[in-house]
Amino acid sequence: MPPNCPGCQSPYAYEDRDLWVCPECGEEWSTESVSTPVEGAPMVKDANGNPLTDGDSVVVIKDLKVKGSSSVVKVGTKVKNIRLVEGDHDIDCKIPGIGAMGLKSEFVKKA
């Protein structure tokens, strides 16, 4: 059974010499580069589709209002050492000048 595409999760990948190719998004990868996710660990991707892991640094791509406060997390704010969690807000982090907060992965990109 062919592996799902790491880019778009398409099940229609095919083998071409020593590479796997996705006909839907055009992604190419080798079987050695495919890592199996750890059981129970959430699979979280940023706004560009790059997989995120605990300890990564991300950059906010949209101004975000902080609930219950007049503070705003500005575009371009770099957040270091994120922690992935399950739920609606899938990133726990500490934002400089604001404090501990939960973010949605759709509003960040990997730094």
Side-chain angles (χ1 to χ4, degrees), residues 7 23 34 46-47 63 77 88 103:
V34 176
D46 70 0
D63 281 348
T77 301
D88 187 32
L103 293 174

Side-chain angles (χ1 to χ4, degrees), residues 44-52 58 105-111:
V44 179
K45 295 185 178 185
D46 70 0
N48 296 329
N50 299 317
L52 297 172
V58 295
S105 59
E106 63 197 63
F107 299 121
V108 300
K109 67 178 181 177
K110 198 169 190 174

Side-chain angles (χ1 to χ4, degrees), residues 21-70:
V21 180
C22 177
E24 292 185 9
C25 70
E27 177 118 11
E28 296 179 352
W29 69 97
S30 66
T31 52
E32 293 84 37
S33 68
V34 176
S35 61
T36 56
V38 177
E39 285 298 319
M43 180 60 169
V44 179
K45 295 185 178 185
D46 70 0
N48 296 329
N50 299 317
L52 297 172
T53 58
D54 285 342
D56 280 347
S57 293
V58 295
V59 177
V60 177
I61 62 169
K62 178 182 175 184
D63 281 348
L64 302 173
K65 294 180 184 177
V66 179
K67 239 183 201 178
S69 172
S70 61

Side-chain angles (χ1 to χ4, degrees), residues 80-103:
K80 298 177 184 176
N81 199 21
I82 64 169
R83 188 171 60 105
L84 302 179
V85 295
E86 290 189 26
D88 187 32
H89 292 74
D90 43 15
I91 298 173
D92 272 348
C93 60
K94 288 185 180 175
I95 297 180
I98 295 177
M101 186 171 186
L103 293 174

